Structures are given as C-alpha cells and as structure tokens.
Amino acid sequence: MPTVDNPAGKTLAELGAASPDEVAQLFSEVRALFDNQAAKQLDPATWEALKQVWTGRKSGVLTLITDNWLKPATPELKRAVGQELNKLKAQVESTLEARKRDVESLAEHAASAKDRADLSLPGVLRPVGTHHLIRQVFQEIEDIFFSIGFSVVEGPEIETPYYNFEALNIPEFHPVRDDMDTFYLELPKGAPGPLLLRTHTSPVQIRTMEKRQPPVRVIVPGKVYRRDNPDATHSFMFHQIEGLAVDSDITFCDFTGTIDYFVKQFFGESVKTRFRPSYFPFTEPSVEFDVSCVFCGGSGTAKSGGTCGKCKGSRWIELFGAGMVDPAVYGFVNYDPKKVSGFAFGIGIDRLAMLKYGIDDIQAFFQNDVRFLRQFP
Ligand code: DAH
C-alpha cells in the first residue's frame, strides 16, 4: 500500500488555503488521491490497509484532516471545511464498503473454484496390478493338484541343516551337499545354529510328516536359495513346488500316473511324458521326468526345418526330479516303512514357466521390468 503523500499532514495556513474555493480545491485533490488508491485491484489484506490509511483512528487521513484542517480553521473557513470533510467521509466510507463486497466475492469465487471439480476433464488412470507370472504359474499348478486331493502347506525359508539335509537322508559328508551348499546365516555369538537359507522345499516333507499321520497329500510352494551365479538359467533365489503323497498303499503306478496327469494338465493333453532313472538321497527309486518337447511337438525338428533348438533334436525336455520316498526318510519321522509307502517330487517353477511361456532368461522374472510383466496380465 502506498504511503499517503497527501496534504492532510499540514495545516490550511501551511498549504496556503485562505478561501472556501481553495479549501474545495484541496478537498478535490484529496478525493482524487483516494479514488486512485481505491480503484486498484484489492485483496482482503490490501483492502484492510487502505481502510487503515484513510479511516485509522489515530493517523488516518480523515483524522488528520479533522485535526489539522478543521479544528484550527478560521471561523470563515470552518463551515466550508466541515462540509467538504463530511462529503469526503461519506465517499470514503461508501467506497470502502462497496470495495469490500467486491473483494469478498472475489475471494469466495477463488476458493470455490479450487474445490469445484471439472467433470469434463479426463480422469487419472491408475495402472491396475496383476499377479507376477511366477505367482500365476504357482496358482495353475496348485489348482491342478487341488483337483486330485492335494492341499498346500508351507515351511520356513530359514532352515536347520537337520531339516534341509540330515532328515532327508543327506548326512554331513554326503557328496550331494556339494551341489546344494548354500547361504549359511551369520549368527550372533552363542546363538543356536547353524542356520541356512533352504536349498529346496524338500525339508517341508519332513516337517509335514512330523506333524501328520498318513494319509498325507501335500504340495509345498515356496522360494529356495542356492549359491549359484546368475545366468540365463540360474538365480540365487528361485521357486519350487514340492509334492508328497504317503499312504498305506501307494504304488509306483500311482506315482507315474499322478505326474503324467499333472504334466498333461499343465502343458496340454497332446504331450507325452517319460521318466529316466536318477538319484536323490531321499527317494528310492529316483527318477527324472521328461516331457515331449513343447516347442517342436516332440519331433526334434524345428518348424523351419532344422533341428529344434530347444530340445536339440532329442525330442524330450527334462522337467523335474521325483521318486518313491526312501524308507530311510520314514525313520526320521516315526513312520513305519513296512506299513506306508509314497512318492515325492520337486518342480522348479521358474523353469516350468519358462518352458510354457517361451521365456529364455530366468533373470527376466526378477528384474521387475513392466514391459515384461505386462505381457502376462
Ligand atoms: N529337492 C530336489 C532339488 O531341489 C528336487 C526333488 C527331487 C524333490 C526328487 C523331490 C524328489 O521331492 O522326490 O533338487
């Protein structure tokens, strides 16, 4: 707000006004000054300042004129000054009042414009998330096993060597530990240990059989960890689904029939399965299941005519390990190996997802690149 540089600070004598005409002239100058200031754009704060400058009790212009012009005026001028001052007062007050209404309605308008939504504007599109492909494949596999009477159990990702190795018939110096050695946890001094990140979901077989009597039909989805260097087929963390079925009369036929059913449900009725002898310390016999190559239809020949690059012309693709539960394992969980039998399997989820969806780098699952993830809505 400009300070008022107006004549109200001086007396009429100092201003050289000696006649009513001269007084009127002075007042019209003051009015012009006021009109000028009141015509500016005002907001609530500048309106208040303007009001103070003109009507402030102690040193407002009206007060100054009363003190400096009216009170000391000569009797001849007093009347003229009084009349002009009243006119000025009325003008100042009515103008201030009118401007106050402008200022208030402007402020109200600004506030309500802020709150008002323009319904014609386009909305904010929030991307909708989906399950990660790995989660989707877990679900597909779980659904297949649910349909034949299995249920889901889970176990800890931090394990003891007992569950991860010993109770699975892998004693301390068994060479198989070399393939599986993993991340051991650094523990505070005196803490019970050692502990490790589980290298497979198989320890949950033991944990389940410790808690339940046969019949047992469970699958165990989860994360597993190995000290592998990352490349297109290896990751230090990946996913498995363990399966375990134990009952009084489970045969090798039940075993291969179940796996064959699962593989056909997952890849389609047209695939074939086969198994080859293999070795795992916790199954006997142990097998490796293969599926007829899902890329060349089991022909070994690519559509383009050459050798199929995926199965390298072998017509088969290795899927996962499995077997009949080794009787030695029952000894760790107080099952009677003479009375029960069963089978187990350990499916690598990432590998199955890669085969089914034609993904050639396991790292793609873990890089969180939405251009990749969006392809599997
Ligand atoms: N635990 C094995 C691994 O991670 C996979 C496996 C093989 C699990 C055979 C099983 C099985 O239950 O019977 O390499």
Side-chain angles (χ1 to χ4, degrees):
M1 202 70 213
T3 52
V4 181
D5 178 24
N6 73 28
K10 297 181 177 156
T11 62
L12 291 177
E14 283 168 333
L15 293 162
S19 69
D21 277 353
E22 283 162 345
V23 166
Q25 175 60 31
L26 266 181
F27 269 99
S28 78
E29 275 171 34
V30 174
R31 269 201 303 276
L33 195 66
F34 173 75
D35 286 343
N36 188 356
Q37 290 178 9
K40 297 206 166 107
Q41 172 136 29
L42 297 176
D43 59 28
T46 48
W47 178 87
E48 189 58 42
L50 181 71
K51 181 176 146 125
Q52 278 306 313
V53 166
W54 287 87
T55 65
R57 197 102 66 90
K58 268 201 192 138
S59 51
V61 174
L62 296 178
T63 304
L64 293 178
I65 291 180
T66 308
D67 291 347
N68 298 332
W69 296 5
L70 184 66
K71 286 183 183 160
T74 57
E76 308 85 73
L77 289 184
K78 203 153 209 148
R79 190 182 157 82
V81 174
Q83 275 175 355
E84 289 288 346
L85 180 57
N86 282 343
K87 254 174 36 190
L88 177 65
K89 248 189 208 159
Q91 184 193 342
V92 167
E93 275 160 15
S94 72
T95 305
L96 279 175
E97 199 47 44
R99 294 303 324 260
K100 183 179 184 178
R101 283 196 299 274
D102 294 348
V103 166
E104 278 171 355
S105 79
L106 253 176
E108 254 170 46
H109 187 76
S112 73
K114 236 189 268 164
D115 296 342
R116 214 167 343 134
D118 179 350
L119 299 179
S120 70
L121 288 174
V124 180
L125 275 184
R126 298 192 193 283
V128 178
T130 57
H131 282 144
H132 190 282
L133 183 59
I134 293 291
R135 181 62 248 166
Q136 294 180 34
V137 172
F138 264 133
Q139 195 64 54
E140 276 181 58
I141 296 177
E142 287 168 19
D143 287 344
I144 295 169
F145 282 103
F146 288 161
S147 75
I148 49 174
F150 283 72
S151 57
V152 164
V153 293
E154 290 186 325
E157 287 173 30
I158 295 175
E159 265 299 4
T160 62
Y162 175 78
Y163 285 109
N164 198 80
F165 297 123
E166 271 111 77
L168 287 162
N169 206 24
I170 313 173
E172 187 163 1
F173 295 106
H174 196 289
V176 122
R177 285 210 193 186
D178 291 348
D179 300 339
M180 284 232 201
D181 252 0
T182 183
F183 301 107
Y184 282 86
L185 271 66
E186 220 169 77
L187 298 169
K189 271 210 177 68
L195 292 175
L196 50 87
L197 297 179
R198 67 181 178 192
T199 58
H200 49 179
T201 42
S202 305
V204 191
Q205 289 189 28
I206 306 300
R207 290 182 175 277
T208 306
M209 288 189 283
E210 276 180 346
K211 279 189 231 128
R212 297 191 193 175
Q213 288 302 307
V216 167
R217 276 182 191 76
V218 292
I219 49 171
V220 187
K223 289 183 162 72
V224 301
Y225 302 83
R226 290 191 198 172
R227 234 186 51 191
D228 283 335
N229 290 323
D231 63 23
T233 53
H234 293 85
S235 164
F236 54 82
M237 185 281 297
F238 56 102
H239 303 84
Q240 290 187 332
I241 285 192
E242 190 77 13
L244 176 70
V246 181
D247 206 342
S248 50
D249 52 4
I250 290 187
T251 65
F252 196 85
C253 275
D254 296 325
F255 165 48
T256 54
T258 304
I259 301 294
D260 186 67
Y261 172 79
F262 160 69
V263 174
K264 288 196 160 98
Q265 288 292 306
F266 187 76
F267 285 109
E269 286 293 334
S270 61
V271 299
K272 292 197 186 76
T273 61
R274 73 171 186 187
F275 57 85
R276 294 172 285 115
S278 183
Y279 173 75
F280 300 100
F282 38 90
T283 45
E284 180 60 36
S286 301
V287 304
E288 199 75 50
F289 263 91
D290 294 345
V291 64
S292 53
C293 180
V294 291
F295 299 98
C296 64
S299 66
T301 310
K303 284 197 191 89
S304 58
T307 308
C308 172
K310 300 290 184 167
C311 65
K312 311 212 164 50
S314 76
R315 312 201 327 259
W316 295 96
I317 288 185
E318 185 179 316
L319 276 188
F320 54 85
M324 298 301 286
V325 176
D326 192 309
V329 171
Y330 295 130
F332 287 93
V333 295
N334 280 328
Y335 278 17
D336 182 348
K338 292 201 184 68
K339 292 198 177 132
V340 296
S341 58
F343 61 85
F345 53 88
I347 305 174
I349 301 306
D350 314 74
R351 181 174 162 73
L352 249 64
M354 289 166 76
L355 285 174
K356 182 160 179 175
Y357 295 96
I359 295 158
D360 48 22
D361 186 353
I362 193 175
Q363 303 301 328
F365 291 133
F366 311 123
Q367 286 160 344
N368 280 340
D369 185 333
V370 289
R371 290 168 303 180
F372 170 75
L373 299 174
R374 279 202 190 114
Q375 295 175 49
F376 310 99

mmCIF file of all heavy atoms in Angstrom, residues 118-143:
data_model
loop_
_atom_site.group_PDB
_atom_site.id
_atom_site.type_symbol
_atom_site.label_atom_id
_atom_site.label_comp_id
_atom_site.label_asym_id
_atom_site.label_seq_id
_atom_site.Cartn_x
_atom_site.Cartn_y
_atom_site.Cartn_z
ATOM 1 N N ASP A 118 -13.993 -30.243 -12.334
ATOM 2 C CA ASP A 118 -14.461 -30.142 -13.703
ATOM 3 C C ASP A 118 -14.670 -31.555 -14.214
ATOM 4 O O ASP A 118 -13.735 -32.282 -14.522
ATOM 5 C CB ASP A 118 -13.413 -29.406 -14.543
ATOM 6 C CG ASP A 118 -13.869 -29.294 -15.993
ATOM 7 O OD1 ASP A 118 -14.879 -29.959 -16.346
ATOM 8 O OD2 ASP A 118 -13.234 -28.549 -16.751
ATOM 9 N N LEU A 119 -15.963 -31.938 -14.267
ATOM 10 C CA LEU A 119 -16.277 -33.337 -14.590
ATOM 11 C C LEU A 119 -15.989 -33.682 -16.042
ATOM 12 O O LEU A 119 -16.014 -34.843 -16.428
ATOM 13 C CB LEU A 119 -17.745 -33.630 -14.270
ATOM 14 C CG LEU A 119 -18.093 -33.449 -12.789
ATOM 15 C CD1 LEU A 119 -19.572 -33.746 -12.559
ATOM 16 C CD2 LEU A 119 -17.243 -34.350 -11.907
ATOM 17 N N SER A 120 -15.690 -32.653 -16.840
ATOM 18 C CA SER A 120 -15.431 -32.952 -18.247
ATOM 19 C C SER A 120 -13.954 -33.288 -18.489
ATOM 20 O O SER A 120 -13.578 -33.720 -19.568
ATOM 21 C CB SER A 120 -15.838 -31.768 -19.109
ATOM 22 O OG SER A 120 -14.939 -30.692 -18.879
ATOM 23 N N LEU A 121 -13.105 -33.067 -17.446
ATOM 24 C CA LEU A 121 -11.672 -33.378 -17.636
ATOM 25 C C LEU A 121 -11.466 -34.895 -17.650
ATOM 26 O O LEU A 121 -12.197 -35.616 -16.995
ATOM 27 C CB LEU A 121 -10.855 -32.787 -16.479
ATOM 28 C CG LEU A 121 -10.702 -31.273 -16.472
ATOM 29 C CD1 LEU A 121 -10.006 -30.839 -15.188
ATOM 30 C CD2 LEU A 121 -9.907 -30.815 -17.682
ATOM 31 N N PRO A 122 -10.461 -35.363 -18.401
ATOM 32 C CA PRO A 122 -10.192 -36.812 -18.371
ATOM 33 C C PRO A 122 -9.716 -37.224 -16.985
ATOM 34 O O PRO A 122 -9.039 -36.460 -16.306
ATOM 35 C CB PRO A 122 -9.073 -36.998 -19.403
ATOM 36 C CG PRO A 122 -8.522 -35.639 -19.650
ATOM 37 C CD PRO A 122 -9.551 -34.624 -19.265
ATOM 38 N N GLY A 123 -10.069 -38.427 -16.533
ATOM 39 C CA GLY A 123 -9.699 -38.887 -15.196
ATOM 40 C C GLY A 123 -8.238 -39.296 -15.123
ATOM 41 O O GLY A 123 -7.538 -39.326 -16.125
ATOM 42 N N VAL A 124 -7.794 -39.587 -13.878
ATOM 43 C CA VAL A 124 -6.430 -40.071 -13.682
ATOM 44 C C VAL A 124 -6.464 -41.588 -13.848
ATOM 45 O O VAL A 124 -7.211 -42.267 -13.157
ATOM 46 C CB VAL A 124 -5.929 -39.730 -12.260
ATOM 47 C CG1 VAL A 124 -4.508 -40.245 -12.065
ATOM 48 C CG2 VAL A 124 -6.020 -38.234 -12.035
ATOM 49 N N LEU A 125 -5.684 -42.088 -14.773
ATOM 50 C CA LEU A 125 -5.667 -43.534 -14.999
ATOM 51 C C LEU A 125 -4.656 -44.181 -14.065
ATOM 52 O O LEU A 125 -3.463 -43.931 -14.166
ATOM 53 C CB LEU A 125 -5.263 -43.839 -16.441
ATOM 54 C CG LEU A 125 -6.378 -43.803 -17.472
ATOM 55 C CD1 LEU A 125 -5.830 -44.214 -18.829
ATOM 56 C CD2 LEU A 125 -7.519 -44.730 -17.078
ATOM 57 N N ARG A 126 -5.146 -44.982 -13.139
ATOM 58 C CA ARG A 126 -4.209 -45.664 -12.248
ATOM 59 C C ARG A 126 -4.000 -47.080 -12.767
ATOM 60 O O ARG A 126 -4.964 -47.822 -12.944
ATOM 61 C CB ARG A 126 -4.766 -45.720 -10.835
ATOM 62 C CG ARG A 126 -4.968 -44.336 -10.276
ATOM 63 C CD ARG A 126 -5.235 -44.337 -8.792
ATOM 64 N NE ARG A 126 -5.719 -43.039 -8.396
ATOM 65 C CZ ARG A 126 -4.950 -41.969 -8.246
ATOM 66 N NH1 ARG A 126 -3.655 -42.057 -8.428
ATOM 67 N NH2 ARG A 126 -5.467 -40.814 -7.902
ATOM 68 N N PRO A 127 -2.730 -47.450 -13.011
ATOM 69 C CA PRO A 127 -2.495 -48.788 -13.546
ATOM 70 C C PRO A 127 -2.943 -49.854 -12.546
ATOM 71 O O PRO A 127 -2.717 -49.718 -11.342
ATOM 72 C CB PRO A 127 -0.986 -48.844 -13.756
ATOM 73 C CG PRO A 127 -0.421 -47.646 -13.087
ATOM 74 C CD PRO A 127 -1.521 -46.679 -12.788
ATOM 75 N N VAL A 128 -3.601 -50.878 -13.051
ATOM 76 C CA VAL A 128 -4.056 -51.958 -12.182
ATOM 77 C C VAL A 128 -2.997 -53.055 -12.186
ATOM 78 O O VAL A 128 -2.534 -53.463 -13.244
ATOM 79 C CB VAL A 128 -5.401 -52.517 -12.685
ATOM 80 C CG1 VAL A 128 -5.853 -53.676 -11.813
ATOM 81 C CG2 VAL A 128 -6.452 -51.415 -12.687
ATOM 82 N N GLY A 129 -2.601 -53.499 -11.014
ATOM 83 C CA GLY A 129 -1.563 -54.529 -10.939
ATOM 84 C C GLY A 129 -2.122 -55.906 -11.262
ATOM 85 O O GLY A 129 -3.332 -56.119 -11.294
ATOM 86 N N THR A 130 -1.224 -56.827 -11.544
ATOM 87 C CA THR A 130 -1.641 -58.213 -11.764
ATOM 88 C C THR A 130 -0.688 -59.102 -10.983
ATOM 89 O O THR A 130 0.327 -58.634 -10.479
ATOM 90 C CB THR A 130 -1.533 -58.619 -13.239
ATOM 91 O OG1 THR A 130 -0.180 -58.417 -13.657
ATOM 92 C CG2 THR A 130 -2.468 -57.832 -14.110
ATOM 93 N N HIS A 131 -1.019 -60.367 -10.923
ATOM 94 C CA HIS A 131 -0.075 -61.286 -10.300
ATOM 95 C C HIS A 131 1.135 -61.469 -11.197
ATOM 96 O O HIS A 131 1.022 -61.529 -12.413
ATOM 97 C CB HIS A 131 -0.747 -62.643 -10.069
ATOM 98 C CG HIS A 131 -1.647 -62.639 -8.872
ATOM 99 N ND1 HIS A 131 -2.817 -63.327 -8.811
ATOM 100 C CD2 HIS A 131 -1.520 -62.008 -7.675
ATOM 101 C CE1 HIS A 131 -3.392 -63.138 -7.629
ATOM 102 N NE2 HIS A 131 -2.624 -62.330 -6.930
ATOM 103 N N HIS A 132 2.284 -61.565 -10.578
ATOM 104 C CA HIS A 132 3.520 -61.861 -11.300
ATOM 105 C C HIS A 132 3.356 -63.234 -11.964
ATOM 106 O O HIS A 132 2.644 -64.104 -11.437
ATOM 107 C CB HIS A 132 4.659 -61.885 -10.279
ATOM 108 C CG HIS A 132 6.020 -61.935 -10.891
ATOM 109 N ND1 HIS A 132 6.556 -63.096 -11.390
ATOM 110 C CD2 HIS A 132 6.948 -60.967 -11.071
ATOM 111 C CE1 HIS A 132 7.776 -62.832 -11.861
ATOM 112 N NE2 HIS A 132 8.028 -61.542 -11.676
ATOM 113 N N LEU A 133 4.032 -63.414 -13.094
ATOM 114 C CA LEU A 133 3.881 -64.683 -13.815
ATOM 115 C C LEU A 133 4.213 -65.887 -12.924
ATOM 116 O O LEU A 133 3.553 -66.925 -12.998
ATOM 117 C CB LEU A 133 4.769 -64.687 -15.069
ATOM 118 C CG LEU A 133 4.634 -65.948 -15.928
ATOM 119 C CD1 LEU A 133 3.208 -66.164 -16.403
ATOM 120 C CD2 LEU A 133 5.573 -65.893 -17.121
ATOM 121 N N ILE A 134 5.227 -65.729 -12.081
ATOM 122 C CA ILE A 134 5.593 -66.849 -11.205
ATOM 123 C C ILE A 134 4.417 -67.195 -10.283
ATOM 124 O O ILE A 134 4.085 -68.359 -10.079
ATOM 125 C CB ILE A 134 6.834 -66.483 -10.354
ATOM 126 C CG1 ILE A 134 8.067 -66.336 -11.256
ATOM 127 C CG2 ILE A 134 7.080 -67.509 -9.256
ATOM 128 C CD1 ILE A 134 8.556 -67.620 -11.868
ATOM 129 N N ARG A 135 3.777 -66.168 -9.757
ATOM 130 C CA ARG A 135 2.614 -66.388 -8.885
ATOM 131 C C ARG A 135 1.480 -67.069 -9.670
ATOM 132 O O ARG A 135 0.783 -67.936 -9.159
ATOM 133 C CB ARG A 135 2.182 -65.039 -8.300
ATOM 134 C CG ARG A 135 1.009 -65.057 -7.346
ATOM 135 C CD ARG A 135 1.262 -65.872 -6.113
ATOM 136 N NE ARG A 135 0.424 -67.047 -6.138
ATOM 137 C CZ ARG A 135 0.550 -68.124 -5.374
ATOM 138 N NH1 ARG A 135 1.497 -68.210 -4.490
ATOM 139 N NH2 ARG A 135 -0.246 -69.127 -5.487
ATOM 140 N N GLN A 136 1.307 -66.638 -10.925
ATOM 141 C CA GLN A 136 0.255 -67.244 -11.760
ATOM 142 C C GLN A 136 0.524 -68.723 -11.998
ATOM 143 O O GLN A 136 -0.396 -69.547 -11.966
ATOM 144 C CB GLN A 136 0.161 -66.523 -13.105
ATOM 145 C CG GLN A 136 -0.305 -65.078 -13.003
ATOM 146 C CD GLN A 136 -0.375 -64.410 -14.369
ATOM 147 O OE1 GLN A 136 -0.685 -65.037 -15.361
ATOM 148 N NE2 GLN A 136 -0.076 -63.122 -14.409
ATOM 149 N N VAL A 137 1.804 -69.054 -12.246
ATOM 150 C CA VAL A 137 2.138 -70.450 -12.519
ATOM 151 C C VAL A 137 1.977 -71.291 -11.240
ATOM 152 O O VAL A 137 1.479 -72.418 -11.274
ATOM 153 C CB VAL A 137 3.559 -70.565 -13.112
ATOM 154 C CG1 VAL A 137 3.995 -72.019 -13.206
ATOM 155 C CG2 VAL A 137 3.597 -69.923 -14.495
ATOM 156 N N PHE A 138 2.370 -70.719 -10.103
ATOM 157 C CA PHE A 138 2.102 -71.394 -8.821
ATOM 158 C C PHE A 138 0.626 -71.753 -8.741
ATOM 159 O O PHE A 138 0.246 -72.866 -8.404
ATOM 160 C CB PHE A 138 2.406 -70.450 -7.648
ATOM 161 C CG PHE A 138 3.786 -70.624 -7.044
ATOM 162 C CD1 PHE A 138 4.596 -69.518 -6.781
ATOM 163 C CD2 PHE A 138 4.259 -71.880 -6.699
ATOM 164 C CE1 PHE A 138 5.845 -69.663 -6.214
ATOM 165 C CE2 PHE A 138 5.521 -72.031 -6.124
ATOM 166 C CZ PHE A 138 6.316 -70.922 -5.886
ATOM 167 N N GLN A 139 -0.214 -70.764 -9.060
ATOM 168 C CA GLN A 139 -1.651 -70.952 -8.928
ATOM 169 C C GLN A 139 -2.152 -72.052 -9.866
ATOM 170 O O GLN A 139 -2.942 -72.895 -9.459
ATOM 171 C CB GLN A 139 -2.356 -69.623 -9.230
ATOM 172 C CG GLN A 139 -3.801 -69.587 -8.783
ATOM 173 C CD GLN A 139 -3.935 -69.714 -7.270
ATOM 174 O OE1 GLN A 139 -3.322 -68.940 -6.528
ATOM 175 N NE2 GLN A 139 -4.690 -70.699 -6.804
ATOM 176 N N GLU A 140 -1.650 -72.027 -11.118
ATOM 177 C CA GLU A 140 -2.049 -73.066 -12.091
ATOM 178 C C GLU A 140 -1.716 -74.448 -11.549
ATOM 179 O O GLU A 140 -2.527 -75.375 -11.613
ATOM 180 C CB GLU A 140 -1.239 -72.915 -13.392
ATOM 181 C CG GLU A 140 -1.756 -71.914 -14.389
ATOM 182 C CD GLU A 140 -0.859 -71.904 -15.640
ATOM 183 O OE1 GLU A 140 -0.692 -72.958 -16.279
ATOM 184 O OE2 GLU A 140 -0.305 -70.825 -15.957
ATOM 185 N N ILE A 141 -0.506 -74.562 -11.014
ATOM 186 C CA ILE A 141 -0.056 -75.880 -10.554
ATOM 187 C C ILE A 141 -0.828 -76.293 -9.299
ATOM 188 O O ILE A 141 -1.256 -77.440 -9.159
ATOM 189 C CB ILE A 141 1.468 -75.854 -10.297
ATOM 190 C CG1 ILE A 141 2.198 -75.585 -11.616
ATOM 191 C CG2 ILE A 141 1.941 -77.161 -9.655
ATOM 192 C CD1 ILE A 141 3.694 -75.459 -11.500
ATOM 193 N N GLU A 142 -1.023 -75.325 -8.416
ATOM 194 C CA GLU A 142 -1.808 -75.633 -7.208
ATOM 195 C C GLU A 142 -3.203 -76.116 -7.579
ATOM 196 O O GLU A 142 -3.693 -77.111 -7.038
ATOM 197 C CB GLU A 142 -1.886 -74.396 -6.299
ATOM 198 C CG GLU A 142 -0.566 -74.099 -5.589
ATOM 199 C CD GLU A 142 -0.533 -72.728 -4.928
ATOM 200 O OE1 GLU A 142 -1.611 -72.147 -4.692
ATOM 201 O OE2 GLU A 142 0.578 -72.236 -4.634
ATOM 202 N N ASP A 143 -3.830 -75.434 -8.535
ATOM 203 C CA ASP A 143 -5.193 -75.818 -8.927
ATOM 204 C C ASP A 143 -5.235 -77.247 -9.462
ATOM 205 O O ASP A 143 -6.182 -77.989 -9.174
ATOM 206 C CB ASP A 143 -5.748 -74.839 -9.973
ATOM 207 C CG ASP A 143 -6.104 -73.489 -9.358
ATOM 208 O OD1 ASP A 143 -6.205 -73.422 -8.112
ATOM 209 O OD2 ASP A 143 -6.268 -72.506 -10.099
#
